């Protein structure tokens, strides 16, 4: 008995479109964060990306004589024994992605379906995914339970909420960058 085969001619190049979309999707990325070129307050001593990293990971700063004078002038003199200032980690990005990881994966799956069925483009879906992620990170500034501010920090910025300063520059510095 002769074997039978089935074939088709892809007249509209759907297969080629799928291959192109797949390559474009695999080679694309979306980055959400505070970029080094983010606008900063005019008197800022560090850029917003550095400030974001300090808050995300924490840091220890050696006390200098100049810092000791500054703290004293602010009404918070440091003891002679105090030689380091510890800023605790307040992981606003890492904690957010841990919290919404499954939702992000679900959104990626749905985006892939829309792209492969020609109902959307990679660029559009990356922007949507980026915006969702950025919104979630910004929301974490007010919804996460971070290590509380020190008494001095509370007094200087008139707020007991970590990561929220007088100006809101850090939160406003969040950006989405899509690319290939």
């Amino acid at each position: 008995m002769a074997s039978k085969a089935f074939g088709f001619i892809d007249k509209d190049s759907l297969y080629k479109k799928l291959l192109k979309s797949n390559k474009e999707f695999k080679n694309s990325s979306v980055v959400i964060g505070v970029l080094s070129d983010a606008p900063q307050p005019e008197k800022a001593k560090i850029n917003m990306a550095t400030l974001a990293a300090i808050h995300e990971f924490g840091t220890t700063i050696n006390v200098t004589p100049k810092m000791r004078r500054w703290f004293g002038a602010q009404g918070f003199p440091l003891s002679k024994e105090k030689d380091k200032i510890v800023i605790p980690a307040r992981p606003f990005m890492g904690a957010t992605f841990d919290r919404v990881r499954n939702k992000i994966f679900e959104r990626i799956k749905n985006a892939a379906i829309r792209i492969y069925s020609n109902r959307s483009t990679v660029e559009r879906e990356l922007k949507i995914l980026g915006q969702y992620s950025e919104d979630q990170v910004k929301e974490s500034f007010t919804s996460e339970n971070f290590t509380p501010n020190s008494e001095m920090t509370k007094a200087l910025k008139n707020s007991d909420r970590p990561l929220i300063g007088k100006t809101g520059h850090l939160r406003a510095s969040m950006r989405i960058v899509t690319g290939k």
Side-chain angles (χ1 to χ4, degrees), residues 4 13 35 55 57 63 69 96 99-100 115 125 133:
K4 295 184 179 182
S13 303
L35 306 178
H55 283 302
F57 304 109
V63 174
R69 287 190 302 275
T96 299
R99 180 174 48 80
V100 298
I115 292 165
E125 292 299 328
S133 301

Side-chain angles (χ1 to χ4, degrees), residues 76-115:
F76 294 93
L78 301 176
S79 69
K80 289 184 180 186
E81 296 78 33
K82 181 80 168 175
D83 62 347
K84 296 190 184 317
I85 295 177
V86 176
I87 299 173
R90 295 180 174 105
F92 60 99
M93 292 188 65
T96 299
F97 289 112
D98 288 346
R99 180 174 48 80
V100 298
R101 180 181 319 273
N102 291 338
K103 290 178 184 176
I104 289 173
F105 288 147
E106 186 66 25
R107 285 172 174 265
I108 291 170
K109 182 182 88 174
N110 291 333
I113 291 168
R114 285 188 295 275
I115 292 165

Side-chain angles (χ1 to χ4, degrees), residues 13-180:
S13 303
L14 178 61
Y15 180 70
K16 288 179 183 177
K17 287 180 186 176
L18 285 174
L19 286 179
K20 182 180 176 196
S21 292
N22 188 45
K23 185 177 180 182
E24 188 178 351
F25 194 59
K26 281 184 176 181
N27 294 328
S28 296
S29 63
V30 61
V31 176
I32 301 97
V34 178
L35 306 178
S36 60
D37 63 350
Q40 63 188 51
E42 60 185 59
K43 293 184 180 182
K45 304 264 192 246
I46 60 174
N47 68 38
M48 291 290 106
T50 301
L51 181 61
I54 288 169
H55 283 302
E56 184 73 19
F57 304 109
T59 194
T60 300
I61 303 168
N62 292 323
V63 174
T64 64
K66 183 177 179 181
M67 288 171 66
R68 196 172 293 284
R69 287 190 302 275
W70 185 88
F71 277 98
Q74 303 306 312
F76 294 93
L78 301 176
S79 69
K80 289 184 180 186
E81 296 78 33
K82 181 80 168 175
D83 62 347
K84 296 190 184 317
I85 295 177
V86 176
I87 299 173
R90 295 180 174 105
F92 60 99
M93 292 188 65
T96 299
F97 289 112
D98 288 346
R99 180 174 48 80
V100 298
R101 180 181 319 273
N102 291 338
K103 290 178 184 176
I104 289 173
F105 288 147
E106 186 66 25
R107 285 172 174 265
I108 291 170
K109 182 182 88 174
N110 291 333
I113 291 168
R114 285 188 295 275
I115 292 165
Y116 294 140
S117 63
N118 259 353
R119 293 182 299 170
S120 190
T121 65
V122 171
E123 183 179 338
R124 181 175 186 274
E125 292 299 328
L126 287 176
K127 285 180 181 176
I128 291 169
L129 179 63
Q131 189 61 59
Y132 171 77
S133 301
E134 179 184 334
D135 292 346
Q136 294 300 309
V137 171
K138 285 181 174 180
E139 180 184 308
S140 76
F141 276 61
T142 56
S143 66
E144 295 288 334
N145 291 318
F146 297 114
T147 302
N149 285 329
S150 69
E151 293 305 314
M152 183 203 71
T153 302
K154 289 177 190 177
L156 290 175
K157 70 178 197 175
N158 280 340
S159 172
D160 63 352
R161 186 73 196 150
L163 302 180
I164 306 282
K166 288 180 180 179
T167 64
H169 278 98
L170 180 60
R171 187 172 185 228
S173 296
M174 294 296 302
R175 294 286 177 266
I176 307 163
V177 177
T178 58
K180 295 178 185 177

